[in-house]
Amino acid sequence: MELVFRTIKPADAPVLKEFLELAMEFYGSEREQMMDHYLADWGKRVDIGFIVLLKKEKKPIGAVWFRQFTQDRPGLAFLDEKTPELIAAVSPEYRNQGIGRYLITRLVNQARMEGFQALSVAVHKDNPVLGLYERLSFQVEREDGSLKVLRLTL
């Protein structure tokens, strides 16, 4: 399986929506109200992310990105206006093969190069990916109902 990793472009918005739906598969009522919030106006200067495709088929199988939110329009993992929120998902048939870890690590390294001090992510308590974030040194910042909000200090 040959993979191609590339930067997410504004034209990738429909693909991001598919991966956002996967990332939020464990969420309940928060899901619908947050979908547009995490995708609106993608491509601002501080929007950074990567997509992975199967090289031969050019089929997207995973994506990771982050966005910064404001106090008056926070995301689910909002910590402050300087800490971007990470969103990541891999297509179910390609999970548990190291793709998610690679995508997240790549985004973390990019965030460091961009000068960010931390990243946050919201993960449903029942989502198995929680263990991956913990292995990558994300720490629980708070719990909001069924969600754990994690922080990675860069």
Side-chain angles (χ1 to χ4, degrees):
M1 173 172 61
E2 286 188 76
L3 303 176
V4 174
F5 294 85
R6 68 166 173 79
T7 303
I8 295 173
K9 304 170 191 166
D12 291 319
V15 174
L16 290 185
K17 183 175 182 183
E18 291 176 32
F19 286 109
L20 183 58
E21 288 173 352
L22 288 174
M24 294 187 147
E25 66 188 345
F26 285 87
Y27 294 30
S29 60
E30 302 102 340
R31 181 180 178 161
E32 291 306 315
Q33 67 189 33
M34 296 307 290
M35 290 291 292
D36 287 338
H37 188 48
Y38 279 93
L39 295 173
D41 301 321
W42 169 262
K44 295 177 187 172
R45 185 186 65 78
V46 294
D47 292 336
I48 296 173
F50 302 100
I51 193 165
V52 60
L53 303 100
L54 294 174
K55 184 175 183 176
K56 188 174 180 181
E57 299 89 347
K58 295 183 179 151
K59 173 187 172 187
I61 62 167
V64 63
W65 67 98
F66 66 66
R67 302 203 80 179
Q68 285 181 275
F69 294 105
T70 59
Q71 184 75 38
D72 61 324
R73 290 196 28 92
L76 294 171
F78 184 80
L79 299 178
D80 57 58
E81 293 187 3
K82 293 181 181 180
T83 304
E85 290 186 41
L86 180 150
I87 302 101
V90 174
S91 297
E93 62 270 29
Y94 296 98
R95 292 178 183 165
N96 300 312
Q97 297 179 42
I99 296 168
R101 173 186 281 278
Y102 182 83
L103 283 168
I104 293 166
T105 301
R106 189 167 181 167
L107 189 70
V108 165
N109 290 336
Q110 186 67 40
R112 280 189 184 108
M113 289 189 322
E114 298 289 331
F116 290 101
Q117 301 299 307
L119 291 173
S120 67
V121 65
V123 182
H124 193 280
K125 291 178 185 178
D126 295 333
N127 191 332
V129 79
L130 182 59
L132 172 60
Y133 285 111
E134 291 169 343
R135 287 189 299 279
L136 292 172
S137 300
F138 282 77
Q139 302 292 316
V140 176
E141 183 76 14
R142 70 174 185 272
E143 294 190 27
D144 290 335
S146 61
L147 296 178
K148 287 190 176 190
V149 175
L150 309 171
R151 172 197 300 263
L152 177 67
T153 301
L154 305 174

